[in-house]
Amino acid sequence: MKQLWYGGKIYTMEREYEVVEAVLLEKDKIIAVGTFDELHLQADELINLEGAAMYPGFVDSHLHMIFQGEKLLRLDLRKAKSAEELLKLVKAAAETAPTNAWLFGEGWNENLFSDQRIPTVEELDAIREEPILLTRVCHHVILGNTAALNAGGIYEDSHAPAGGKIGRDREGNLNGLLYDQAMTAVTEAVPKKGEAYIDSLTEALHIAIDDMLAKGLTGGHTEDMNYFGEYTIPLTAFYRVVGEKQHFRVSLLRHHAVFEEMQEANPAYVDGFIEPGAMKIFVDGALGGSTAALSRPYDDQPNNSGLLIHTEEEVENLVKIARKHHEAVAVHIIGDAGAEQILNVIEKNPPTKGKRDRLIHCCVLRQDLVERIEKLPVVLDIQPAFVPSDFPWVIQRLGSKRLDWAYSWKKLLDRGIMCAAGTDAPIEDIDPLATIYAAVERKKPNQDHNGYLPGEKLSRFEAIQLYTLGSAQAIHKEHERGLIKPGYEADFSIFDRDLFEGSSEAILEAKVLKTVVAGRIVYDRSKPVG
């Protein structure tokens, strides 16, 4: 059966402001675009957009979908504006939490606290004897009480592993904070077995995807395979939610710790809906926790240059494993020292033809590093929402001399470097409209200034294309996804207004009317969920 969509603004996103009057579908593919008069006689079904605006399906190029679902289920600490407020939220949650279970909280950020004070392990111990584990907004720092630390084998005489740091107070005692690789022992101590656990992940994933569809997202490139027990456990959750419904497109980045095991086991995937992706590697931490690796010390911490999680030799060995399996790598780099480390490696070990490596975040670069990036088959996976989250405090952390190539999305695009947009959810708001606004305005909504580093503002076309063509380029599928064009997948994000018209704030007021995946309406605002 052939469907014709018409009656609204249909943006191809191939060229700026290019619109077509009608789109003809057959099953899950676009077979023609043109005028209504040209195409309507070929259609078995006509769908009138009634003035709505249609775009190629928006895809979040970098997130953690199960963590995002857990964030929607767990104690939300983003609203805390001080250490005292955070403790009050945890205390209230502890009053109803089962005594035989861990208490989890998500999203605290001391940079937004009035006093910038982080609660202590003693304060958490006073609330609850059972484990409390509170994850910082960046997911590179956790705060735990004594029970949580001890569950992971962290005691007063413990030493930090390579690539990690154990927080201590001025007297040298544990303060409850663990950074990057030091977190692993505690996070792995959380029980992660059994059918009930798989059911909990399935629920989290179901909630996350429903929320994403309601926000106009048709897919996501997600990294979940190494945090929830054996990789088969989260993969089972994906089978149950996405594999059965086939209503969302997932590209699975595979953490290096499980990558080779997954390659050798060759588990079943679901073509077009659950697809294997690149090997994920972390080379450094985050700016919020001062663990991103910089080539010069932090301006506000002259004795700290951050952390490189692996030696260059270790990174090269990981990349060689990916290349042995003819696969690309997707590499977390926040600081310029992290970027330099991975560039040294992938220049010597290029990807197989038809593959592109992915450099994720790229918050702090240098001119020489950008010139090297230009010569490589890479996509930069950027997070425009980091700008309103990280500024203005990041200026003090980096210093003015580093800002030329900090969060420099416009200069990177102007050099012809392929870029995709993600949110790193649950780190940032998963709503693509919030990211588009951040890319265009580089500030929080309605703030009375011209944006942080305003020369790096993107046009609306550039910002939206990051979610469409850019995300397709990140998985080398720009010839079949990311545009409204004959031969492409019939994935659409449909809004009640034209995102190219009105004020920037009007973008945030847009409502998703329908989300279409593989030619099927998988979210309809006019119909109740369930």
Side-chain angles (χ1 to χ4, degrees):
M1 185 176 78
K2 295 179 182 178
Q3 266 182 2
L4 188 72
W5 291 73
Y6 72 101
K9 279 269 190 83
I10 302 174
Y11 284 96
T12 69
M13 292 308 297
E14 186 167 20
R15 285 171 284 275
E16 193 163 12
Y17 302 124
E18 182 177 78
V19 296
V20 294
E21 192 175 301
V23 179
L24 186 65
L25 316 182
E26 186 168 22
K27 296 181 180 178
D28 58 350
K29 292 287 195 299
I30 299 168
I31 60 172
V33 298
T35 67
F36 179 82
D37 289 342
E38 290 171 337
L39 300 176
H40 79 279
L41 292 178
Q42 301 178 47
D44 303 298
E45 180 184 10
L46 302 179
I47 301 179
N48 191 340
L49 289 165
E50 299 179 346
M54 175 190 279
Y55 305 84
F58 287 9
V59 174
D60 190 309
S61 67
H62 181 65
L63 76 159
H64 307 270
M65 287 171 59
I66 295 177
F67 280 137
Q68 170 66 10
E70 288 186 335
K71 182 179 83 169
L72 298 175
L73 293 168
R74 288 178 172 178
L75 174 61
D76 184 0
L77 300 176
R78 291 172 298 168
K79 62 188 81 169
K81 300 303 180 188
S82 68
E84 285 66 34
E85 281 190 26
L86 184 150
L87 290 167
K88 285 181 182 178
L89 291 169
V90 175
K91 187 174 182 179
E95 290 174 358
T96 58
T99 56
N100 63 345
W102 289 52
L103 173 57
F104 297 100
E106 298 275 340
W108 60 271
N109 184 356
E110 80 284 2
N111 291 309
L112 303 180
F113 292 176
S114 54
D115 53 4
Q116 296 197 346
R117 183 181 80 82
I118 300 172
T120 65
V121 64
E122 290 84 6
E123 288 173 308
L124 295 184
D125 286 345
I127 292 173
R128 192 174 195 254
E129 293 183 1
E130 297 81 16
I132 299 174
L133 191 62
L134 310 178
T135 304
R136 192 182 183 279
V137 64
C138 64
H139 273 233
H140 287 264
V141 185
I142 56 176
L143 174 65
N145 67 351
T146 297
L149 299 180
N150 291 171
I154 304 293
Y155 301 97
E156 290 294 346
D157 59 352
S158 295
H159 297 284
K165 174 182 167 185
I166 296 175
R168 297 183 183 275
D169 61 22
R170 291 180 179 178
E171 287 72 45
N173 300 315
L174 296 176
N175 63 9
L177 294 168
L178 299 174
Y179 300 80
D180 286 298
Q181 294 298 92
M183 302 188 306
T184 303
V186 172
T187 58
E188 288 187 348
V190 179
K192 297 174 182 175
K193 291 182 179 179
E195 190 62 31
Y197 181 63
I198 297 175
D199 287 343
S200 73
L201 299 188
T202 302
E203 180 189 10
L205 189 57
H206 178 80
I207 288 171
I209 291 177
D210 279 355
D211 183 57
M212 293 172 76
L213 291 172
K215 289 179 168 61
L217 290 160
T218 61
H221 305 167
T222 185
E223 197 242 317
D224 304 272
M225 295 292 105
N226 188 47
Y227 309 105
F228 307 99
E230 297 290 328
Y231 79 84
T232 54
I233 293 174
L235 189 57
T236 297
F238 277 97
Y239 289 153
R240 291 180 179 180
V241 180
V242 179
E244 291 179 8
K245 293 186 178 181
Q246 298 190 7
H247 63 324
F248 193 80
R249 299 193 190 277
V250 174
S251 177
L252 295 177
L253 300 182
R254 294 167 289 172
H255 190 283
H256 68 80
V258 298
F259 175 84
E260 194 157 33
E261 181 185 2
M262 291 184 72
Q263 281 291 116
E264 291 173 356
N266 193 25
Y269 296 99
V270 182
D271 189 39
F273 297 97
I274 303 176
E275 300 173 332
M279 174 196 279
K280 175 71 180 291
I281 304 171
F282 286 86
V283 300
D284 69 347
L287 291 167
S290 304
T291 56
L294 301 178
S295 55
R296 301 193 318 274
Y298 286 87
D299 260 39
D300 60 349
Q301 300 170 49
N303 296 317
N304 178 27
S305 296
L307 294 170
L308 284 170
I309 292 174
H310 308 282
T311 67
E312 191 165 310
E313 181 181 6
E314 289 169 340
V315 173
E316 185 161 15
N317 288 337
L318 293 175
V319 171
K320 285 180 176 178
I321 291 171
R323 302 308 193 225
K324 180 180 76 173
H325 294 282
H326 308 290
E327 190 54 87
V329 293
V331 187
H332 166 112
I333 51 169
I334 296 280
D336 61 332
E340 186 166 14
Q341 184 188 65
I342 190 60
L343 289 176
N344 291 342
V345 171
I346 63 178
E347 283 171 342
K348 292 189 293 182
N349 301 275
T352 302
K353 185 177 180 181
K355 296 284 185 177
R356 292 192 186 104
D357 290 328
R358 183 189 311 221
L359 305 182
I360 303 169
H361 308 314
C362 306
C363 293
V364 184
L365 296 172
R366 303 190 308 261
Q367 175 82 21
D368 62 302
L369 299 177
V370 174
E371 290 172 357
R372 292 166 68 182
I373 287 170
E374 286 181 288
K375 300 172 184 176
L376 296 170
V378 298
V379 172
L380 306 190
D381 193 338
I382 62 175
Q383 286 64 48
F386 281 4
V387 174
S389 288
D390 293 0
F391 284 81
W393 60 261
V394 77
I395 298 173
Q396 180 182 4
R397 190 145 296 174
L398 292 176
S400 59
K401 292 181 180 179
R402 262 188 285 238
L403 295 181
D404 277 353
W405 283 103
Y407 305 77
S408 51
W409 321 139
K410 181 65 174 174
K411 286 201 291 284
L412 294 169
L413 282 173
D414 284 349
R415 285 174 171 255
I417 297 171
M418 289 183 286
C419 295
T423 57
D424 205 9
I427 310 303
E428 299 292 344
D429 185 347
I430 202 167
D431 189 344
L433 298 182
T435 286
I436 291 166
Y437 179 89
V440 170
E441 291 293 337
R442 294 180 71 88
K443 62 181 181 180
K444 289 183 173 68
N446 299 309
Q447 284 187 326
D448 188 22
H449 60 82
N450 194 35
Y452 299 108
L453 306 178
E456 295 297 332
K457 290 181 177 180
L458 302 187
S459 70
R460 296 192 198 192
F461 178 76
E462 290 170 326
I464 294 171
Q465 200 179 54
L466 293 175
Y467 266 101
T468 55
L469 183 62
S471 289
Q473 289 171 328
I475 54 174
H476 218 286
K477 289 185 178 288
E478 67 269 26
H479 302 298
E480 57 187 279
R481 296 180 191 171
L483 299 173
I484 293 180
K485 187 175 181 178
Y488 280 61
E489 306 278 5
D491 298 345
F492 310 124
S493 302
I494 302 171
F495 296 86
D496 67 346
R497 67 187 66 198
D498 188 336
L499 301 179
F500 291 104
E501 295 181 355
S503 67
S504 296
E505 277 66 31
I507 294 171
L508 299 172
E509 297 170 3
K511 301 291 188 294
V512 176
L513 297 181
K514 290 181 175 65
T515 305
V516 179
V517 175
R520 292 190 297 122
I521 298 172
V522 292
Y523 170 79
D524 189 336
R525 186 179 182 83
S526 67
K527 296 180 181 179
V529 176

Coordinates of all heavy atoms in Angstrom, one line a residue, residues 64-96:
H64 N 22.6 7.3 26.6 CA 22.6 6.1 27.4 C 21.2 5.8 27.7 O 20.7 6.3 28.7 CB 23.5 6.2 28.6 CG 24.9 6.7 28.3 ND1 26.0 5.8 28.0 CD2 25.4 7.9 28.2 CE1 27.0 6.6 27.7 NE2 26.7 7.8 27.9
M65 N 20.5 5.0 26.9 CA 19.0 4.9 27.0 C 18.5 4.3 28.3 O 17.5 4.8 28.8 CB 18.5 4.2 25.8 CG 18.6 5.0 24.5 SD 18.2 4.2 23.0 CE 16.5 3.6 23.3
I66 N 19.2 3.3 28.8 CA 18.8 2.6 30.0 C 19.0 3.6 31.2 O 18.1 3.7 32.0 CB 19.4 1.3 30.2 CG1 18.9 0.3 29.1 CG2 19.0 0.7 31.6 CD1 19.6 -1.1 29.2
F67 N 20.2 4.2 31.2 CA 20.4 5.2 32.2 C 19.3 6.3 32.2 O 18.9 6.8 33.2 CB 21.8 5.8 32.1 CG 22.9 5.0 32.6 CD1 24.1 4.9 31.9 CD2 22.8 4.4 33.9 CE1 25.1 4.1 32.4 CE2 23.8 3.6 34.4 CZ 25.0 3.5 33.7
Q68 N 19.0 6.7 31.0 CA 17.9 7.8 30.8 C 16.6 7.3 31.4 O 15.9 8.1 32.1 CB 17.7 8.1 29.3 CG 16.6 9.0 29.0 CD 16.7 10.4 29.6 OE1 17.7 10.8 30.1 NE2 15.6 11.2 29.5
G69 N 16.2 6.1 31.1 CA 15.0 5.5 31.7 C 15.1 5.5 33.2 O 14.2 5.8 34.0
E70 N 16.3 5.1 33.8 CA 16.5 5.0 35.2 C 16.4 6.4 35.8 O 15.9 6.6 36.9 CB 17.8 4.4 35.5 CG 17.8 2.9 35.3 CD 19.1 2.2 35.7 OE1 20.2 2.9 35.8 OE2 19.1 1.0 36.0
K71 N 16.9 7.4 35.1 CA 16.8 8.8 35.6 C 15.3 9.2 35.8 O 15.0 9.8 36.8 CB 17.5 9.8 34.7 CG 17.4 11.2 35.2 CD 18.1 12.2 34.2 CE 17.2 12.6 33.1 NZ 17.8 13.7 32.4
L72 N 14.5 8.7 34.9 CA 13.1 9.1 35.0 C 12.4 8.3 36.1 O 11.3 8.7 36.6 CB 12.4 8.8 33.6 CG 12.9 9.6 32.4 CD1 12.2 9.1 31.1 CD2 12.7 11.0 32.6
L73 N 13.0 7.2 36.6 CA 12.5 6.4 37.6 C 13.1 6.7 39.0 O 12.4 6.5 40.0 CB 12.7 4.9 37.3 CG 11.9 4.3 36.2 CD1 12.4 3.0 35.8 CD2 10.4 4.3 36.5
R74 N 14.3 7.3 39.0 CA 15.0 7.4 40.2 C 14.9 8.8 40.8 O 14.3 9.7 40.2 CB 16.5 7.2 40.0 CG 16.9 5.7 39.8 CD 18.3 5.5 39.5 NE 18.7 4.1 39.5 CZ 19.9 3.6 39.2 NH1 20.9 4.5 39.0 NH2 20.2 2.3 39.2
L75 N 15.4 9.0 42.0 CA 15.4 10.3 42.7 C 16.2 11.4 41.8 O 17.3 11.2 41.5 CB 16.1 10.2 44.1 CG 16.3 11.5 44.9 CD1 14.9 12.1 45.2 CD2 17.1 11.2 46.1
D76 N 15.5 12.4 41.5 CA 16.0 13.5 40.6 C 16.7 14.5 41.5 O 16.0 15.2 42.2 CB 14.9 14.1 39.8 CG 15.4 15.1 38.8 OD1 16.6 15.4 38.7 OD2 14.6 15.6 38.0
L77 N 18.0 14.7 41.4 CA 18.7 15.6 42.2 C 19.1 16.9 41.4 O 19.8 17.8 42.0 CB 20.0 15.0 42.7 CG 19.8 13.8 43.6 CD1 21.1 13.1 44.0 CD2 19.0 14.1 44.9
R78 N 18.6 17.0 40.2 CA 18.9 18.2 39.4 C 18.4 19.5 40.0 O 18.9 20.6 39.8 CB 18.4 18.0 38.0 CG 19.2 17.0 37.2 CD 18.5 16.7 35.8 NE 17.1 16.2 36.0 CZ 16.2 16.2 35.0 NH1 16.6 16.5 33.8 NH2 15.0 15.7 35.3
K79 N 17.3 19.3 40.7 CA 16.6 20.5 41.3 C 17.3 21.1 42.5 O 17.0 22.2 43.0 CB 15.2 20.2 41.6 CG 15.0 19.1 42.7 CD 13.6 18.7 42.9 CE 13.2 17.7 41.8 NZ 11.9 17.0 42.0
A80 N 18.2 20.3 43.1 CA 18.9 20.8 44.3 C 19.8 22.0 44.0 O 20.6 21.9 43.1 CB 19.8 19.6 44.9
K81 N 19.7 23.0 44.8 CA 20.4 24.3 44.6 C 21.5 24.5 45.7 O 22.1 25.5 45.8 CB 19.5 25.5 44.5 CG 18.5 25.4 43.4 CD 19.2 25.2 42.0 CE 18.2 25.2 40.9 NZ 18.8 24.8 39.6
S82 N 21.6 23.5 46.6 CA 22.6 23.6 47.7 C 22.8 22.2 48.2 O 22.0 21.3 48.0 CB 22.1 24.5 48.8 OG 21.0 24.0 49.5
A83 N 23.9 22.0 49.0 CA 24.1 20.7 49.6 C 23.0 20.4 50.6 O 22.6 19.2 50.7 CB 25.5 20.8 50.4
E84 N 22.5 21.4 51.2 CA 21.4 21.1 52.2 C 20.1 20.7 51.5 O 19.4 19.7 51.9 CB 21.1 22.4 53.0 CG 22.1 22.7 54.1 CD 23.5 23.1 53.5 OE1 23.5 23.7 52.4 OE2 24.5 22.7 54.1
E85 N 19.8 21.3 50.3 CA 18.6 20.8 49.5 C 18.8 19.4 49.1 O 17.9 18.6 49.1 CB 18.4 21.8 48.3 CG 17.7 23.1 48.7 CD 17.3 23.8 47.4 OE1 17.1 23.2 46.4 OE2 17.2 25.1 47.5
L86 N 20.0 19.1 48.6 CA 20.3 17.7 48.2 C 20.1 16.7 49.3 O 19.4 15.7 49.1 CB 21.7 17.6 47.6 CG 22.2 16.3 47.0 CD1 23.2 16.5 46.0 CD2 22.7 15.3 48.1
L87 N 20.6 17.0 50.5 CA 20.4 16.1 51.6 C 19.0 16.0 52.0 O 18.5 14.9 52.4 CB 21.2 16.7 52.8 CG 22.8 16.5 52.6 CD1 23.5 17.4 53.7 CD2 23.2 15.1 52.7
K88 N 18.2 17.0 51.9 CA 16.8 17.0 52.2 C 16.0 16.0 51.3 O 15.2 15.2 51.7 CB 16.1 18.3 52.2 CG 16.4 19.2 53.4 CD 15.8 20.6 53.2 CE 16.1 21.5 54.4 NZ 15.5 22.8 54.2
L89 N 16.4 16.1 50.0 CA 15.8 15.2 49.0 C 16.1 13.8 49.3 O 15.3 12.9 49.2 CB 16.3 15.6 47.6 CG 15.7 16.9 47.0 CD1 16.5 17.3 45.8 CD2 14.2 16.9 46.7
V90 N 17.4 13.5 49.6 CA 17.8 12.1 49.9 C 17.1 11.6 51.1 O 16.7 10.5 51.2 CB 19.4 12.1 50.0 CG1 19.8 10.7 50.4 CG2 20.0 12.4 48.7
K91 N 17.1 12.5 52.2 CA 16.4 12.0 53.4 C 14.9 11.7 53.2 O 14.4 10.7 53.7 CB 16.5 13.1 54.5 CG 16.0 12.7 55.8 CD 16.3 13.8 56.9 CE 15.8 13.4 58.2 NZ 16.1 14.4 59.3
A92 N 14.3 12.5 52.4 CA 12.8 12.2 52.1 C 12.7 10.9 51.3 O 11.8 10.1 51.6 CB 12.2 13.4 51.3
A93 N 13.6 10.7 50.4 CA 13.5 9.4 49.6 C 13.8 8.2 50.5 O 13.2 7.1 50.3 CB 14.5 9.5 48.4
A94 N 14.7 8.4 51.4 CA 15.1 7.3 52.3 C 14.0 6.8 53.2 O 13.9 5.7 53.6 CB 16.3 7.7 53.2
E95 N 13.1 7.7 53.5 CA 12.0 7.4 54.4 C 11.0 6.3 53.8 O 10.3 5.6 54.5 CB 11.2 8.6 54.8 CG 12.0 9.6 55.7 CD 11.3 10.9 55.9 OE1 10.2 11.1 55.3 OE2 11.8 11.7 56.7
T96 N 11.0 6.3 52.5 CA 10.1 5.3 51.8 C 10.9 4.2 51.0 O 10.2 3.3 50.5 CB 9.2 6.0 50.8 OG1 9.9 6.7 49.9 CG2 8.3 7.0 51.6

